[in-house]
Amino acid sequence: MPIAKLSENRYGKSRVRVMRVTKHDDHHDLDEWTVQILLSGDFETAHTEGDNSKILPTDTMKNTCYYVASVSKADSIEAYAKALIDYILSRNAQVTGAEVIVKSHLWKRMTIDGQPYPTAFLRGSDEMQTTRVSKTQNGAFEIASGLDGLYVLKTAQSGFVGYIKDSLTTLPETTDRLFGTVVKAEWTYTPQAIAEGLDFNKVRTHLRETMLATFARHDSLSVQQTLFAMGEDALAHTEMIDSVYLLMPNKHNLLIDLARFGEENSNHIFVPTDEPHGTIEATIVRG
Amino acid sequence: MPIAKLSENRYGKSRVRVMRVTKHDDHHDLDEWTVQILLSGDFETAHTEGDNSKILPTDTMKNTCYYVASVSKADSIEAYAKALIDYILSRNAQVTGAEVIVKSHLWKRMTIDGQPYPTAFLRGSDEMQTTRVSKTQNGAFEIASGLDGLYVLKTAQSGFVGYIKDSLTTLPETTDRLFGTVVKAEWTYTPQAIAEGLDFNKVRTHLRETMLATFARHDSLSVQQTLFAMGEDALAHTEMIDSVYLLMPNKHNLLIDLARFGEENSNHIFVPTDEPHGTIEATIVRG
Amino acid sequence: MPIAKLSENRYGKSRVRVMRVTKHDDHHDLDEWTVQILLSGDFETAHTEGDNSKILPTDTMKNTCYYVASVSKADSIEAYAKALIDYILSRNAQVTGAEVIVKSHLWKRMTIDGQPYPTAFLRGSDEMQTTRVSKTQNGAFEIASGLDGLYVLKTAQSGFVGYIKDSLTTLPETTDRLFGTVVKAEWTYTPQAIAEGLDFNKVRTHLRETMLATFARHDSLSVQQTLFAMGEDALAHTEMIDSVYLLMPNKHNLLIDLARFGEENSNHIFVPTDEPHGTIEATIVRG
Amino acid sequence: MPIAKLSENRYGKSRVRVMRVTKHDDHHDLDEWTVQILLSGDFETAHTEGDNSKILPTDTMKNTCYYVASVSKADSIEAYAKALIDYILSRNAQVTGAEVIVKSHLWKRMTIDGQPYPTAFLRGSDEMQTTRVSKTQNGAFEIASGLDGLYVLKTAQSGFVGYIKDSLTTLPETTDRLFGTVVKAEWTYTPQAIAEGLDFNKVRTHLRETMLATFARHDSLSVQQTLFAMGEDALAHTEMIDSVYLLMPNKHNLLIDLARFGEENSNHIFVPTDEPHGTIEATIVRG
């Protein structure tokens, strides 16, 4: 009798990079994507016997990323991910389910002498637009889209008071602190919206603007409160999503003690730090 | 009626770094840890009203890491994580559950003129020893330990044949390829072993050696097969664990086509690559 | 007689991070800088005897970065670097020369509902604005400013033909390739311009725009040719600089062979790569 | 009359990665190298006119790295770099000088059941062995070898007192601190040693051991003093080198103030930090 057996397992290809140039008559568009494909299925004998007869090589998945990028003409990362899944599921009956994650990197058209230049681009920030699409052979698409690496900072309307004090407390209360965070957001589209179809790029743009506006305007009593307000406003913005997950690390900026040098620090000189950082995460759902 | 409500949520402190020097009469020991603490609990009004009265600041969690490192004399990362959780849960009734992840970085004592030097150390590889310990207020400890960043490579006993070929296949079959991977492993201790107590460092060392031996000796037909064999041998090694999760990205080394230059490549010159990479993950449980 | 003696040596502090908030009545401004200070001087006995009596601790240099950021009200990184050097040289006679490098990170004011928001900011790209300022005790300031990490890409007007072919050549000629590079530029201000004073921010903005326009518009026959044209146009733009150093790695985008899959690749699907990369560097001086 | 002219310039290929397996009857050896090639020469018209007729493509340099790795059978990174330079200079009369930098990454043979396993390897630390070899068409080889990324730490025999105190001083004096640094070293071989030939690997190993022993044993009054002692002992070790450059950033470990929590910190709990860091560099020459 075997001592061990296979439980949950997946395999696939990660960090497949694709640069797509779409050539119009008078200008080019540019997309840079990083793709991950993960497959579930009947892979037991692959693990226990080294039987590769049901294994689609990850190298072929890589080629699939390139091929589908060329033939699909997808106008969003969601459409591209769906096309990838359809292609793989339709050709591989041994695969019971597939998940595709696409991250889109920011490129902005250059402005030269006040005019958009048709074929030159500037890399944007480290913010990425993301989607995570999954499907089983006979199931419907599930789509969660979002953004990651959105680094924002507000210099007013942020404080932190009234928290627990104990023998290890050294943090002073403040009603005026910098609030910097690198937002990761992921919202889940409703089955109905997915079934009826929607303009993913448009919804994404609006949700991003909505959450940025809330971040800027919120009179923040804590990261938790601002995070919740951002999720709440996202849900209020559109019926097409039914939940928002937000991860907002607190990227601390430490106030320098200038009094040691005979100067007052009127909350104007800080040390930005990367570690340690607070970690705040929550999922907001429709009430 | 509110449009939104709080669902799953956690908060805490990440990337807290601790360097601990333990001073013995004739030598020092050195530990470098990176710690993450995440708390669950009654934090609803913190999100919805900005009420921080039940919020233990993450800055205090950071101080807790330092304080407990000093007073606990923990002899393993598991013992340290347990002490952190006990300290926080006992003082914070509003916290229903805590999870602590500790990663230990490799430092090796220097050998000078053939002798171990008592107070000088060399940094090791990027391999980390890890533990993930969690507990609810009235529950028992759950402990999953492992390692991460263990970069290994074998130059023989590895091939990949018999896989699916289709119109996008370009990968040639081979019975002689480099097999490089960066192992992440996490095994789950049984409730009984945790209750009775065990030597975490000793078990960790033996499991690591067991899995490395299997990696080296296995006649590998695929990453999946070698991964399963490693997990199987880990489970066979000790009854104290009941499952092993393994993540083994396939870090490809591409064979250079030297024939273009009139040379034969007898599998001796490769280009190591970081992206894209295969991703293979599975959990092996007792059969 | 000693076997060894001290030759060139320097010491200082690196990666000092400063976040400065400047508060106006109706809005805030935000600067994030990373600073390096390196000192030369009479430090021989510090090395040979452990005599620290002439050593200004690097910890004090760090404090100097914070203090000068508060009191100087510098309106440019060049002014800030000069203030740092003046402060240190005037108080440390044993220091014969100082060099300060400041890198400024991009933060952009948020636009909310079409209006600039007074106290909220978005992180920009990884592009940094840089300056390297040096001075000896009785000498004049030398100032070289520039930018780093400016990632740009053009999808047209770029080819590479007519190069040397030999037995190791595999690169096909092309008159239509992607041209991506991460520009590092450093221009040297003339002694006269420094003595008379100038608006560093304004010159920097114009030089950046000039070089971007040349990059976009140039009918590029090689990275070298475009690099030279960019430097030439920078020198033509202003008499205040007398040389431009440019480093432009060739960030290759590899054309995917879709013909293997029965598709034509009309230069629209590429794999962006980070390594290996071409390295092209040159200094352009006034003719 | 042209406004601009070309001054110093170079081009080449960076981050070329090579994995070489050397197959012996009963075991394999493994080398992983990262290579950079930079060429100087008659490239003026390439810059000013886009004339590529004297340009060896960087893609061909990449192929040269692979080809020479296969045919040269080099037994050291120095021999490999020399072979690369000889190959390129002999075939490219337009190239007046070439510099090759090779960095070798650490792989260690696995020990399984107490025995070295012939074909399995473990990645070592981030320490790299380095060489920088240059030559003009009719000149002799110049060779500077060293190491980089050697992260070491001593927990005793290190203090820092007697330094300058001023109004910005906050650092307390200490006779017991952690001394952590990531050593970069580069020694220059004498023309005579290069001409006569030497065992580069053997000298490298001995110089590394010599400097590590000095680091461990030195009663350090400052980083500067320990750095000098290490360079001095390197020069004393062998006549084959005539100078040593050392860069030793001071990787600070901050003592935690446990007294706030009623605990004494007997120099045993620290926070390791990456930034800011001290930077100390010097060249030690024969006295």
Side-chain angles (χ1 to χ4, degrees):
Chain A
M1 205 190 78
I3 181 176
K5 66 181 179 197
L6 186 66
S7 179
E8 283 186 60
N9 66 93
R10 295 204 299 182
Y11 84 102
K13 199 74 161 189
S14 301
R15 291 174 64 180
V16 181
R17 297 176 65 180
V18 177
M19 185 80 87
R20 184 180 74 166
V21 181
T22 307
K23 300 183 178 183
H24 304 284
D25 282 353
D26 58 353
H27 71 283
H28 292 173
D29 291 327
L30 186 66
D31 294 295
E32 183 179 345
W33 300 328
T34 300
V35 188
Q36 182 177 42
I37 299 177
L38 286 170
L39 305 185
S40 305
D42 177 12
F43 307 131
E44 176 141 359
T45 56
H47 288 82
T48 56
E49 299 173 25
D51 165 19
N52 294 324
S53 62
K54 293 177 179 167
I55 295 292
L56 183 73
T58 68
D59 189 76
T60 304
M61 297 184 208
K62 177 191 72 179
N63 289 340
T64 308
C65 293
Y66 304 146
Y67 177 77
V68 171
S70 176
V71 299
S72 82
K73 315 295 179 201
D75 61 355
S76 68
I77 51 177
E78 288 84 0
Y80 175 57
K82 288 170 69 178
L84 277 170
I85 288 177
D86 276 338
Y87 190 89
I88 289 173
L89 289 184
S90 68
R91 290 157 61 107
N92 291 276
Q94 83 286 3
V95 175
T96 53
E99 178 176 276
V100 168
I101 295 171
V102 183
K103 300 181 178 182
S104 177
H105 306 276
L106 283 181
W107 284 100
K108 298 181 177 179
R109 188 176 304 284
M110 271 191 210
T111 299
I112 305 293
D113 289 345
Q115 298 297 319
Y117 198 84
T119 56
F121 302 86
L122 261 174
R123 179 69 170 228
S125 74
D126 293 338
E127 181 187 345
M128 292 178 290
Q129 314 306 320
T130 65
T131 194
R132 191 158 52 88
V133 180
S134 59
K135 189 179 177 304
T136 55
Q137 281 285 3
N138 296 313
F141 280 109
E142 297 181 9
I143 305 181
S145 294
L147 48 86
D148 200 357
L150 173 60
Y151 193 0
V152 292
L153 187 143
K154 58 192 289 181
T155 59
Q157 297 172 267
S158 171
F160 189 49
V161 301
Y163 45 78
I164 294 170
K165 281 87 182 177
D166 63 20
S167 64
L168 296 185
T169 305
T170 55
L171 184 77
E173 296 195 323
T174 177
T175 56
D176 182 14
R177 65 172 185 177
L178 300 197
F179 178 2
T181 186
V182 182
V183 180
K184 176 184 170 69
E186 195 175 77
W187 50 85
T188 307
Y189 286 104
T190 64
Q192 185 180 350
I194 295 171
E196 293 177 353
L198 71 145
D199 184 335
F200 291 104
N201 294 332
K202 190 175 164 190
V203 175
R204 175 193 308 282
T205 300
H206 286 176
L207 283 172
R208 182 181 180 278
E209 283 174 2
T210 297
M211 289 192 285
L212 283 179
T214 304
F215 174 81
R217 290 175 176 152
H218 194 245
D219 288 315
S220 174
L221 297 173
S222 69
V223 176
Q224 281 89 337
Q225 191 202 19
T226 301
L227 180 155
F228 185 80
M230 289 165 67
E232 191 174 31
D233 288 351
L235 288 167
H237 172 72
T238 174
E239 293 286 330
M240 283 183 278
I241 63 174
D242 50 23
S243 75
V244 182
Y245 166 81
L246 285 161
L247 171 66
M248 288 172 51
N250 195 345
K251 300 266 290 180
H252 306 295
N253 289 273
L254 310 178
L255 190 69
I256 294 293
D257 178 7
L258 294 174
R260 300 172 299 178
F261 315 133
E263 273 287 305
E264 187 194 1
N265 194 341
S266 49
N267 280 352
H268 69 297
I269 304 292
F270 300 84
V271 178
T273 61
D274 289 329
E275 59 183 21
H277 62 79
T279 293
I280 292 90
E281 59 176 346
T283 299
I284 322 298
V285 298
R286 212 161 283 281
Chain B
M1 203 190 80
I3 181 175
K5 66 181 180 198
L6 185 66
S7 179
E8 283 186 60
N9 65 94
R10 295 205 299 182
Y11 83 104
K13 200 74 162 188
S14 302
R15 291 175 64 181
V16 181
R17 296 177 64 180
V18 178
M19 185 80 86
R20 185 179 74 165
V21 181
T22 307
K23 300 183 178 184
H24 304 285
D25 282 353
D26 58 353
H27 72 282
H28 292 174
D29 290 327
L30 186 65
D31 294 295
E32 184 179 345
W33 299 328
T34 300
V35 189
Q36 183 177 43
I37 298 177
L38 286 171
L39 307 185
S40 305
D42 177 11
F43 307 131
E44 175 140 0
T45 56
H47 288 82
T48 57
E49 300 173 24
D51 166 19
N52 294 324
S53 62
K54 293 178 180 168
I55 295 292
L56 182 73
T58 67
D59 189 75
T60 304
M61 296 183 208
K62 177 193 72 180
N63 288 341
T64 308
C65 292
Y66 304 147
Y67 177 77
V68 170
S70 176
V71 300
S72 82
K73 316 295 182 204
D75 61 355
S76 68
I77 51 177
E78 287 84 0
Y80 174 57
K82 288 170 71 177
L84 277 170
I85 288 177
D86 276 337
Y87 189 88
I88 288 172
L89 288 185
S90 66
R91 291 158 60 108
N92 291 277
Q94 84 286 4
V95 174
T96 52
E99 178 176 276
V100 169
I101 294 172
V102 184
K103 299 181 178 181
S104 177
H105 306 276
L106 283 181
W107 284 99
K108 299 180 176 180
R109 189 176 303 284
M110 271 191 210
T111 299
I112 305 294
D113 289 345
Q115 299 296 320
Y117 196 85
T119 57
F121 301 86
L122 261 175
R123 179 70 169 225
S125 75
D126 293 338
E127 180 187 344
M128 293 179 289
Q129 313 307 321
T130 66
T131 194
R132 191 159 50 88
V133 180
S134 59
K135 188 180 178 304
T136 56
Q137 280 287 1
N138 296 311
F141 279 109
E142 297 181 9
I143 304 180
S145 294
L147 47 86
D148 200 357
L150 173 61
Y151 193 0
V152 291
L153 187 144
K154 59 192 290 180
T155 58
Q157 297 173 267
S158 171
F160 188 50
V161 300
Y163 46 78
I164 294 170
K165 280 88 182 177
D166 63 19
S167 64
L168 297 185
T169 304
T170 55
L171 185 76
E173 296 195 322
T174 176
T175 56
D176 181 16
R177 65 171 185 176
L178 299 198
F179 177 2
T181 185
V182 181
V183 180
K184 176 184 170 68
E186 194 174 77
W187 49 85
T188 306
Y189 285 104
T190 65
Q192 186 180 349
I194 296 170
E196 294 176 352
L198 71 145
D199 184 335
F200 290 103
N201 294 332
K202 189 175 164 190
V203 174
R204 176 193 308 281
T205 300
H206 285 176
L207 283 172
R208 181 180 181 278
E209 283 174 2
T210 297
M211 289 192 286
L212 283 180
T214 304
F215 174 80
R217 289 176 177 150
H218 194 245
D219 288 315
S220 175
L221 297 173
S222 70
V223 176
Q224 281 89 336
Q225 190 203 18
T226 301
L227 181 155
F228 184 81
M230 290 166 66
E232 190 174 32
D233 288 351
L235 287 168
H237 172 73
T238 173
E239 292 286 329
M240 283 183 278
I241 64 174
D242 49 24
S243 74
V244 182
Y245 166 80
L246 285 160
L247 171 65
M248 289 171 52
N250 195 346
K251 301 267 287 179
H252 306 295
N253 289 274
L254 310 179
L255 190 69
I256 295 292
D257 178 7
L258 295 174
R260 300 172 298 178
F261 314 133
E263 274 286 305
E264 186 193 4
N265 194 341
S266 49
N267 280 352
H268 68 297
I269 303 292
F270 300 84
V271 178
T273 61
D274 289 330
E275 59 183 20
H277 62 80
T279 294
I280 292 91
E281 60 177 345
T283 299
I284 321 298
V285 298
R286 212 161 281 284
Chain C
M1 205 189 80
I3 179 177
K5 66 182 180 196
L6 185 65
S7 180
E8 284 185 61
N9 65 94
R10 295 204 300 181
Y11 84 103
K13 200 74 161 189
S14 300
R15 292 175 63 183
V16 181
R17 296 177 65 180
V18 178
M19 185 81 86
R20 185 179 74 166
V21 181
T22 306
K23 299 182 178 183
H24 304 285
D25 282 352
D26 59 353
H27 72 284
H28 292 174
D29 289 327
L30 186 66
D31 294 295
E32 183 179 345
W33 299 329
T34 300
V35 189
Q36 181 176 47
I37 299 177
L38 286 170
L39 306 184
S40 306
D42 177 11
F43 307 130
E44 176 140 3
T45 56
H47 287 82
T48 57
E49 299 173 25
D51 166 19
N52 294 325
S53 62
K54 292 177 180 168
I55 296 293
L56 182 72
T58 66
D59 189 75
T60 304
M61 296 183 207
K62 177 192 71 179
N63 288 340
T64 307
C65 292
Y66 304 146
Y67 177 77
V68 170
S70 176
V71 301
S72 82
K73 316 293 180 203
D75 62 356
S76 68
I77 50 177
E78 288 83 0
Y80 174 57
K82 287 170 71 177
L84 277 171
I85 289 177
D86 276 339
Y87 190 90
I88 288 173
L89 288 184
S90 67
R91 290 159 61 108
N92 290 278
Q94 83 285 4
V95 174
T96 52
E99 178 176 276
V100 169
I101 295 171
V102 184
K103 298 180 178 181
S104 178
H105 307 276
L106 282 182
W107 285 99
K108 298 180 176 179
R109 188 176 305 282
M110 271 191 210
T111 300
I112 305 293
D113 288 344
Q115 298 296 319
Y117 197 84
T119 57
F121 302 86
L122 261 176
R123 180 69 169 226
S125 75
D126 293 337
E127 179 187 346
M128 293 178 290
Q129 312 306 319
T130 66
T131 194
R132 191 159 50 89
V133 180
S134 59
K135 188 181 178 301
T136 55
Q137 280 286 1
N138 297 312
F141 279 109
E142 297 181 9
I143 304 179
S145 294
L147 49 85
D148 200 358
L150 173 60
Y151 193 0
V152 292
L153 187 143
K154 59 192 290 180
T155 58
Q157 296 173 268
S158 171
F160 188 50
V161 301
Y163 45 78
I164 293 169
K165 281 87 180 177
D166 64 19
S167 64
L168 297 184
T169 305
T170 54
L171 185 76
E173 296 195 323
T174 176
T175 56
D176 181 16
R177 64 171 185 177
L178 300 198
F179 177 1
T181 184
V182 182
V183 180
K184 176 184 169 69
E186 194 174 76
W187 48 86
T188 306
Y189 285 104
T190 64
Q192 187 180 347
I194 296 169
E196 294 176 354
L198 71 143
D199 184 335
F200 289 104
N201 294 333
K202 189 176 164 189
V203 175
R204 175 193 308 281
T205 299
H206 286 175
L207 283 172
R208 182 180 179 280
E209 283 174 2
T210 298
M211 289 192 286
L212 283 179
T214 304
F215 173 80
R217 289 176 176 149
H218 193 244
D219 287 314
S220 175
L221 298 172
S222 68
V223 176
Q224 280 90 335
Q225 191 202 18
T226 301
L227 180 155
F228 185 81
M230 290 165 66
E232 191 174 30
D233 287 351
L235 287 167
H237 172 72
T238 174
E239 292 287 330
M240 282 183 279
I241 64 174
D242 49 24
S243 75
V244 181
Y245 166 81
L246 285 161
L247 171 65
M248 289 171 52
N250 195 345
K251 301 265 290 178
H252 306 294
N253 289 275
L254 309 179
L255 190 69
I256 295 292
D257 178 8
L258 294 175
R260 299 173 298 178
F261 314 132
E263 273 287 305
E264 186 194 2
N265 194 339
S266 51
N267 280 351
H268 68 298
I269 304 291
F270 300 84
V271 178
T273 61
D274 289 330
E275 59 184 21
H277 63 80
T279 293
I280 292 90
E281 60 177 346
T283 299
I284 322 296
V285 298
R286 214 161 280 284
Chain D
M1 203 190 81
I3 182 175
K5 66 182 180 197
L6 185 66
S7 181
E8 283 185 60
N9 66 92
R10 295 204 299 183
Y11 83 103
K13 200 75 162 188
S14 301
R15 292 175 63 183
V16 181
R17 296 177 65 180
V18 178
M19 186 79 86
R20 185 180 73 167
V21 181
T22 306
K23 300 182 178 184
H24 304 283
D25 282 353
D26 58 353
H27 72 282
H28 292 173
D29 290 327
L30 186 66
D31 295 295
E32 183 179 344
W33 299 329
T34 299
V35 188
Q36 182 177 43
I37 299 176
L38 287 170
L39 306 185
S40 305
D42 177 11
F43 307 130
E44 177 141 0
T45 56
H47 288 81
T48 57
E49 299 174 24
D51 165 19
N52 293 324
S53 62
K54 292 177 179 168
I55 296 292
L56 183 72
T58 67
D59 189 75
T60 305
M61 296 184 208
K62 177 192 72 178
N63 288 340
T64 308
C65 293
Y66 304 147
Y67 177 78
V68 170
S70 176
V71 300
S72 82
K73 316 294 180 203
D75 61 356
S76 68
I77 51 177
E78 288 83 359
Y80 174 58
K82 288 169 70 177
L84 277 171
I85 289 177
D86 275 338
Y87 189 90
I88 288 172
L89 288 185
S90 67
R91 289 158 62 108
N92 290 277
Q94 84 285 5
V95 174
T96 53
E99 178 176 275
V100 169
I101 294 172
V102 184
K103 298 181 178 181
S104 177
H105 306 276
L106 282 182
W107 285 99
K108 298 179 177 182
R109 189 176 304 282
M110 272 191 209
T111 299
I112 304 295
D113 289 344
Q115 298 296 320
Y117 197 85
T119 57
F121 302 86
L122 261 175
R123 181 67 171 228
S125 75
D126 293 339
E127 180 187 344
M128 292 178 289
Q129 314 305 321
T130 66
T131 194
R132 192 159 50 88
V133 180
S134 59
K135 188 180 178 303
T136 55
Q137 280 287 0
N138 297 311
F141 279 109
E142 297 181 10
I143 304 179
S145 295
L147 49 85
D148 200 357
L150 173 61
Y151 194 179
V152 291
L153 187 144
K154 58 192 291 180
T155 59
Q157 296 173 268
S158 171
F160 188 50
V161 300
Y163 45 78
I164 293 169
K165 281 86 181 178
D166 64 20
S167 64
L168 296 185
T169 305
T170 53
L171 184 75
E173 296 195 322
T174 177
T175 56
D176 182 15
R177 65 171 183 177
L178 299 198
F179 177 1
T181 186
V182 181
V183 180
K184 176 184 169 68
E186 193 173 77
W187 49 84
T188 307
Y189 286 104
T190 64
Q192 187 180 348
I194 296 170
E196 293 177 353
L198 71 144
D199 184 335
F200 290 103
N201 293 333
K202 189 175 163 189
V203 174
R204 174 192 309 279
T205 299
H206 286 175
L207 284 171
R208 182 180 179 279
E209 284 175 0
T210 296
M211 289 193 286
L212 282 180
T214 303
F215 174 81
R217 289 177 176 149
H218 193 244
D219 287 315
S220 174
L221 297 172
S222 69
V223 176
Q224 282 88 337
Q225 190 202 19
T226 302
L227 180 155
F228 185 80
M230 289 165 67
E232 191 174 30
D233 288 352
L235 288 168
H237 172 72
T238 173
E239 292 287 330
M240 283 183 279
I241 64 174
D242 51 23
S243 74
V244 182
Y245 166 82
L246 285 160
L247 170 66
M248 288 171 54
N250 195 346
K251 299 267 288 179
H252 305 295
N253 289 274
L254 310 178
L255 190 68
I256 295 293
D257 179 7
L258 294 175
R260 301 173 297 178
F261 314 132
E263 273 287 304
E264 187 193 1
N265 194 339
S266 50
N267 280 350
H268 68 297
I269 303 291
F270 301 83
V271 177
T273 62
D274 289 331
E275 60 183 20
H277 63 78
T279 294
I280 292 91
E281 60 176 344
T283 300
I284 322 297
V285 298
R286 213 160 281 283

